[in-house]
Amino acid sequence: DAGVIQSPRHEVTEMGQEVTLRCKPISGHDYLFWYRQTMMRGLELLIYFNNNVPIDDSGMPEDRFSAKMPNASFSTLKIQPSEPRDSAVYFCASSDRGRSGANVLTFGAGSRLTVL
Amino acid sequence: GDSVTQMEGPVTLSEEAFLTINCTYTATGYPSLFWYVQYPGEGLQLLLKATKADDKGSNKGFEATYRKETTSFHLEKGSVQVSDSAVYFCALYNTNAGKSTFGDGTTLTVKP
């Protein structure tokens, strides 16, 4: 398996623009997580899905953020409109918690977002 | 709620030195415990795990023992290498909470 695949790896945009980050989880994994990493706040869980259904979105910072998982092999995190304080590395991770029980997360390489 | 407290960094060691990174946790029930490592420019990857009390996780010369009595999961390595330079995250997974909780990460730099 190629692992968790994220795109784009780097995104530079201007304040007010829409940003869409994409994630392909590992085939067979039934959980998908979106995290944000910054120097100031560390690693934050934004939202997670189980079998394509959002379970907990309490970490989504505000209404400008939205996430979808239309099928088992694809998820998006959208920011509209973007602001400079959204600059961070966004990670997608997946797991097969249902089978392993221990919730081992496999992370993608991350999408580094810079909002000017 | 659940929480994980890691030894503050950064930690700088010489090659072949002994490494300890402390990790303590607060959680209800019986969580699984993990150490993840993040190399520059990459995502986190699992280093080792332990799923019950007194279990020892080990990988690549790193070890950590699940100590329920002290609610700790300290990471150790007997002889670090330059290639071990990375950020190390302690984490727990609690079935009750339904999600993982991460520590703030500890940056390790190993100098030749």
Side-chain angles (χ1 to χ4, degrees), chain B:
Chain B
D2 298 340
S3 67
V4 175
T5 302
Q6 277 184 241
M7 168 178 161
E8 287 191 20
V11 175
T12 302
L13 296 173
S14 297
E15 206 164 22
E16 299 184 3
F18 184 85
L19 169 70
T20 299
I21 301 178
N22 291 336
C23 171
T24 57
Y25 68 90
T26 302
T28 57
Y30 302 93
S32 297
L33 302 175
F34 308 82
W35 278 100
Y36 287 83
V37 59
Q38 183 179 28
Y39 298 103
E42 299 182 10
L44 284 70
Q45 56 186 275
L46 179 70
L47 179 60
L48 53 84
K49 67 178 171 72
T51 58
K52 61 183 187 296
D54 299 326
D55 268 1
K56 176 185 283 188
S58 61
N59 186 26
K60 300 180 181 179
F62 291 89
E63 294 183 337
T65 301
Y66 189 146
R67 301 287 189 200
K68 188 164 178 62
E69 63 277 12
T70 54
T71 61
S72 64
F73 193 55
H74 305 322
L75 182 68
E76 297 182 336
K77 186 175 186 182
S79 177
V80 294
Q81 305 301 311
V82 172
S83 57
D84 294 327
S85 298
V87 182
Y88 292 82
F89 291 88
C90 186
L92 68 84
Y93 170 65
N94 191 338
T95 305
N96 295 337
K99 56 189 178 184
S100 299
T101 301
F102 284 83
D104 290 336
T106 301
T107 300
L108 170 66
T109 301
V110 180
K111 297 189 172 181

Side-chain angles (χ1 to χ4, degrees), chain A residues 16-33:
Chain A
Q17 297 298 304
E18 178 178 294
V19 173
T20 299
L21 308 178
R22 299 171 178 81
C23 175
K24 176 179 168 55
I26 290 176
S27 177
H29 280 191
D30 50 355
Y31 283 81
L32 183 139
F33 305 81

Side-chain angles (χ1 to χ4, degrees), chain A residues 45-88:
Chain A
L45 176 63
L46 302 177
I47 184 171
Y48 78 93
F49 297 81
N50 174 215
N51 291 324
N52 314 337
V53 176
I55 303 300
D56 184 349
D57 65 354
S58 60
M60 296 285 262
E62 47 198 275
D63 291 345
R64 298 184 296 106
F65 286 69
S66 62
K68 295 182 180 180
M69 192 166 186
N71 58 61
S73 58
F74 184 67
S75 177
T76 60
L77 178 68
K78 186 175 292 187
I79 308 172
Q80 167 63 21
S82 59
E83 296 183 3
R85 60 193 167 122
D86 302 330
S87 297

